[in-house]
Coordinates of all heavy atoms in Angstrom, one line a residue:
R9 N 155.8 142.9 93.0 CA 155.4 144.2 92.6 C 155.3 144.2 91.1 O 154.4 144.9 90.5 CB 156.4 145.2 93.1 CG 156.3 145.6 94.5 CD 157.2 146.7 94.9 NE 157.0 146.9 96.3 CZ 157.9 147.7 97.1 NH1 158.9 148.2 96.5 NH2 157.6 147.9 98.3
E22 N 145.0 148.1 74.2 CA 143.9 147.3 74.6 C 142.6 148.2 74.7 O 141.5 147.8 74.3 CB 144.1 146.7 76.0 CG 145.2 145.6 75.9 CD 145.5 145.1 77.3 OE1 145.5 145.9 78.3 OE2 145.9 143.9 77.4
A44 N 114.0 148.2 62.0 CA 112.9 147.6 62.7 C 111.9 148.7 63.2 O 110.8 148.3 63.6 CB 113.5 146.9 64.0
Y47 N 108.4 148.4 61.8 CA 107.8 147.2 62.4 C 107.2 147.4 63.8 O 106.0 147.1 64.0 CB 108.9 146.1 62.4 CG 108.5 144.8 63.0 CD1 107.9 143.8 62.2 CD2 108.7 144.5 64.3 CE1 107.5 142.6 62.7 CE2 108.3 143.3 64.9 CZ 107.7 142.3 64.0 OH 107.3 141.1 64.6
Q60 N 90.5 149.7 70.4 CA 89.3 150.4 70.2 C 88.1 149.5 69.8 O 87.0 149.7 70.3 CB 89.5 151.5 69.1 CG 90.3 152.7 69.5 CD 89.7 153.5 70.6 OE1 90.0 153.3 71.8 NE2 88.8 154.3 70.2
L67 N 81.9 147.9 75.8 CA 81.0 148.9 76.3 C 79.6 148.7 75.8 O 78.6 148.9 76.6 CB 81.5 150.3 75.8 CG 82.7 150.9 76.5 CD1 83.1 152.2 75.7 CD2 82.4 151.2 77.9
N83 N 93.6 158.9 60.3 CA 94.3 158.2 61.4 C 93.5 158.3 62.8 O 94.1 158.3 63.8 CB 95.7 158.8 61.6 CG 95.6 160.3 62.0 OD1 94.6 160.9 61.9 ND2 96.8 160.8 62.5
V92 N 69.5 156.5 74.5 CA 68.1 156.2 74.5 C 67.3 157.4 74.8 O 66.3 157.7 74.2 CB 67.8 155.0 75.5 CG1 66.3 154.8 75.5 CG2 68.6 153.8 75.1
V118 N 100.2 143.9 48.8 CA 99.9 143.1 50.0 C 98.4 142.6 49.8 O 97.5 143.4 49.6 CB 100.0 144.0 51.2 CG1 99.5 143.2 52.5 CG2 101.4 144.5 51.4
N127 N 89.5 143.8 50.7 CA 90.3 145.0 51.0 C 90.3 146.0 49.8 O 91.3 146.5 49.3 CB 91.8 144.6 51.3 CG 92.5 143.9 50.1 OD1 91.8 143.5 49.2 ND2 93.8 143.8 50.2
P143 N 74.4 145.4 71.9 CA 74.5 144.8 73.3 C 74.7 143.3 73.3 O 75.1 142.8 74.3 CB 73.1 145.2 73.9 CG 72.7 146.4 73.2 CD 73.2 146.2 71.7
Q150 N 74.6 149.6 60.6 CA 73.6 150.4 61.3 C 72.3 150.5 60.5 O 71.2 150.5 61.0 CB 74.1 151.8 61.6 CG 73.1 152.6 62.5 CD 73.4 154.1 62.5 OE1 73.9 154.6 61.6 NE2 73.0 154.7 63.6
P155 N 74.4 141.5 60.7 CA 75.8 141.3 61.0 C 76.7 141.5 59.8 O 76.3 141.2 58.7 CB 75.9 139.8 61.5 CG 74.5 139.5 61.9 CD 73.6 140.3 61.0

Side-chain angles (χ1 to χ4, degrees):
R9 283 186 182 168
E22 291 171 329
Y47 178 85
Q60 286 297 96
L67 286 173
N83 64 346
V92 176
V118 176
N127 64 345
Q150 185 196 30

